[in-house]
Amino acid sequence: MVQSRAVAEKSIEIDVSLKNFISYAGISAVLTNGMETIDLPYQRVKKKLTIAILISHLSDDVNNYIVLSNAKQKFWLKLDEHIKEKVLYHVVGNKLFRLSVNKKVLVKNLLPEFSFSNELKIIKNLYTSYSELTAVLENMDLNIDSHEKMFALKHGEMKPLEIAMNKETSTFEVLDFNQLSQGDWRLIIAIGDTAYFLESKTQEEISLLTSNHQGVLKYINKNFYLSLDNYYLEIEAMKLKVNEDTIQLEVATDIQPDKFQYTFLIQDTKLNKEFVRPVERTNNGFKTEILLENILEGSTIKRFFLLKEDSEGKHFKYQFFIETAKIFKRRSFKVIYNSQEYVLRVYRRKDKSMGSIIVRKPKLRRLMKSVKDFRLSGFIGNLHVFKDCTFYLAVEDRNTLDIVEYPLTEENFEVSIAAEDLIKVKGKEKSILDFFITVKDAEGNTIRKDKIKYELADYRKDNYYESIKEKDEYGNKHYFLVTTTPFDNMKIETFTIPKGVNMLSNTAGKDPNVWLIGERYNTAQDNGIALFRWLRKNTTIDAYYVIEEDAEDYRVLKDMEYVLCFGSKEHFEIASRAKVLLGTHDLENLLPYKPAQGFFNYEDTIKVFLQHGVLGRKPVEYDKKNYELPFDLFIVSSEPEKYDVVMNKMGYNEEEVAVTGLARFDNLPKENHSKDILLMPTWRDWIHTDEQFLKSQYYNYYNNLINNERLQGILEEYNVNLNFYPHYRAQNFFAQDINEENSRIHFIRLGSKTVQQLLIDHALLITDFSSVSFDFTLMNKPVIYYHFDVNRFFKRGILRPVEETFLGKIAQNETDLVDMIEESIENNFKSFDIELDNIIKYQDRHNCQRIYQTVLSKLNKENEKNEG
């Protein structure tokens, strides 16, 4: 049983009453945020533990858990049964903390950007109308420049509310409560940097109506709450009938005849779509017809509502209240649609409302069992749910989407993949071909296309299961290797050695003076090109840089010596001789063939990871366990990055990690001759389609920012430009959203300047999570971070605490961001007082020299080992 209390503005004390214990020896209490763990001291008196948690140990950006255990097991904790509230709140050290218990204790800092006051802000007058609440704050003298925000809090869920404030009369209006769900909410107002709970001067209940809720402002356990309940329409009977293209819904209810307008709403929160259908009144209720395609789309859950509009134009959304499940004549349906058998199931929620229709897409069971000599064995199952369909094993080029298909006539299949077919379908000399099971209807239309997993998958970036090679009619040699993705899906990696390329017959004796360098296939803007230029200028190393011929950056390099076109004859020959491979990404990007054991003595090279940023934020994919032949040398910028991240979290040994600093840092100037601002956000890996992007919070937040009128005014007033350089995946969308006519906000096209030059040319950087911020800070220039989705971005964990890697100011909403921009301009872009040593050890512009010496040392040690 757990109880808690705030103590002395420094800590939270938790009392735990222990039950069912024979021995109390060896009990430990720890505080963890998923990345760091702190042992917590405690006192025990008989069966009671008292644990003190210093608030300085609680991270702002993630959940903090208190876990109790002994040598045998973790303890199962629950809240004291005498405590009525399921969630406890404590204001400690001017911070608001939420505490809840479910097997372990969760402590989270709510609204960390504000200082939270124990003082209550009193409402002396309170008025409500449809969807609106108007209140007057007592004894409030609001500064004309202060900014006010309002939030609603329920069980730790914090929702911002839109308010309009009259500072002269201390009156605020809340315009819409519809984003709030059913339940009891406490109201919070933030004035400037300080947040307060709101209290009412009167304890009378005041009703409130919105389009979604019946509400009341009332006191619960001496605290002031906004209590919201949904509108319900009680259903006496329900009939569903599925037709060829529609679903007919008929409900019996005690709703009385009236003059109101009714419509029917189908809502899909996952797809963020709503469909409205007309309603026909019947003698004892109403009926409607819903398009089947609206229900089946996305195979998600569709919720049902009845919308009512009164004579004044007010809307009310009713849920269906179902007292007993027996009113359903039928709850499950099978529907043939698009030649597939879907299952629809109506269910009743825990609150006895009709939840929705669950749509289950027919499952296509599939698995590849073995691959030998490119004869693939596997199975497909559940075929009976596909009507008049044919099935294929398909191989598709990832670049061109050209495809070759092999018919499958049995559930257990064997298919021989012909090299000639693969040669025809591949789009580039080095490419990736994906495996799919495709399903076609009677007219030949593809209705399903699902990837297929390999039962014996053992994923490594540099391994393969089977390979074949084939010479085409022109004498080119094509290699095909079966590999898998991190999700065990099968694919083929392919490369071609053109006719006339003279690969060394014995590549075991690779040349230690030949170094091959690259970044991504199509870039020359990062640590690779910086080190290449330095090596060519300062050493006798035969350093080569490789890049695709059609890349934008190639135009700058094409007249330079020792620059290779990817896949050219010279590239193959140099790659076969090079002893040292140095890349900012996987070495796949600089070798014309598969980087794997057995290919031109790849195993006899020194593999160096130059990196493309400072690690410490989001986990990356270069862990040692992901390779059969991992990097021999991993470049980092500090001891914490080496020990805490690359060694402890990514599995490398001490001699494999070198603290040198990044090569590109050598080219960063200290002087700042600009007064313009660079806006440069990174990408969100949960956005996969154009439709998702346009509906995403990411797009909306940045689109709102570049169209913010107050920001435009500030830029105009101070004669400052804001240049927006979106991630390459977002360029086309944002380019259409910026109206550069008479604007201070400009769009920067991808490739028009290098990233490093952009950083040099600006006085202030606004980013979210990009590691280019370290380059900017190293130039002694200020960075502002826009963290409106920080929790989702780091959902899978963060490598180092936020305060260690986000060096600058952090804004979590648009208003604060614009305030910080204005403040930075007014301060003439003065740099923040930041200690960099734990992030970037060396700031002397000699990183390339250190990388060079470290690689030479690695070569010498290998040479000594071979001679010994």
Side-chain angles (χ1 to χ4, degrees), residues 41-70:
Y42 63 83
Q43 293 181 342
R44 183 176 68 84
V45 179
K46 296 183 179 180
K47 294 184 178 181
K48 178 181 175 182
L49 297 183
T50 299
I51 306 166
I53 311 152
L54 294 174
I55 62 170
S56 59
H57 288 157
L58 297 171
S59 301
D60 286 347
D61 56 310
V62 294
N63 292 334
N64 302 273
Y65 294 99
I66 297 127
V67 181
L68 267 65
S69 62
N70 59 17

Side-chain angles (χ1 to χ4, degrees), residues 430 510-519 528-529 531-532 535 541-547 562-568 570-593 602 605-610 855:
K430 189 174 184 182
K510 288 181 177 285
D511 189 341
N513 202 57
V514 177
W515 295 13
L516 182 61
I517 307 171
E519 296 171 359
I529 193 64
L531 181 63
F532 169 72
L535 290 170
I541 293 293
D542 287 336
Y544 293 84
Y545 191 88
V546 61
I547 186 173
Y562 292 86
V563 173
L564 306 173
C565 292
F566 195 98
S568 64
E570 295 79 8
H571 182 205
F572 273 97
E573 293 173 352
I574 295 299
S576 69
R577 290 170 48 207
K579 178 67 174 178
V580 181
L581 307 173
L582 306 100
T584 58
H585 296 73
D586 275 316
L587 302 181
E588 190 75 55
N589 289 271
L590 57 131
L591 289 178
Y593 46 81
Y602 172 73
T605 59
I606 300 292
K607 296 167 286 296
V608 184
F609 184 47
L610 295 174
V855 176

Side-chain angles (χ1 to χ4, degrees), residues 330-341:
R330 187 176 169 195
R331 301 184 68 178
S332 184
F333 301 84
K334 290 183 179 179
V335 179
I336 304 299
Y337 185 78
N338 199 21
S339 300
Q340 303 171 70
E341 185 179 271

Side-chain angles (χ1 to χ4, degrees), residues 256-269:
Q256 298 300 314
D258 52 41
K259 296 181 180 179
F260 297 143
Q261 297 294 318
Y262 289 92
T263 52
F264 194 76
L265 173 68
I266 307 102
Q267 189 178 73
D268 188 324
T269 54

Side-chain angles (χ1 to χ4, degrees), residues 672-679 715 718-723 744 746 748 753 758-766 776 781-782 821 824-825 829:
N672 178 27
H673 302 294
S674 171
K675 65 173 186 177
D676 286 341
I677 301 168
L678 177 63
L679 173 61
L715 298 173
Y718 290 96
N719 192 26
V720 171
N721 295 314
L722 185 147
N723 296 316
R744 286 285 179 180
H746 307 290
I748 301 179
K753 282 188 177 182
L758 286 173
L759 299 176
I760 292 171
D761 289 347
H762 289 82
L764 170 66
L765 172 66
I766 302 166
F776 217 76
K781 297 195 286 190
I821 293 171
S824 184
I825 295 173
F829 301 107

Side-chain angles (χ1 to χ4, degrees), residues 295-312:
I295 297 294
L296 299 181
E297 183 183 12
S299 296
T300 55
I301 297 175
K302 304 296 191 292
R303 295 203 63 190
F304 293 163
F305 302 94
L306 185 68
L307 299 182
K308 181 177 81 170
E309 181 179 353
D310 68 13
S311 57
E312 297 177 1

Side-chain angles (χ1 to χ4, degrees), residues 33 35-36 59 61 616 798-806:
N33 58 18
M35 293 157 286
E36 296 180 313
S59 301
D61 56 310
I798 186 171
L799 294 173
R800 295 169 70 180
V802 166
E803 63 273 11
E804 288 187 12
T805 63
F806 291 99

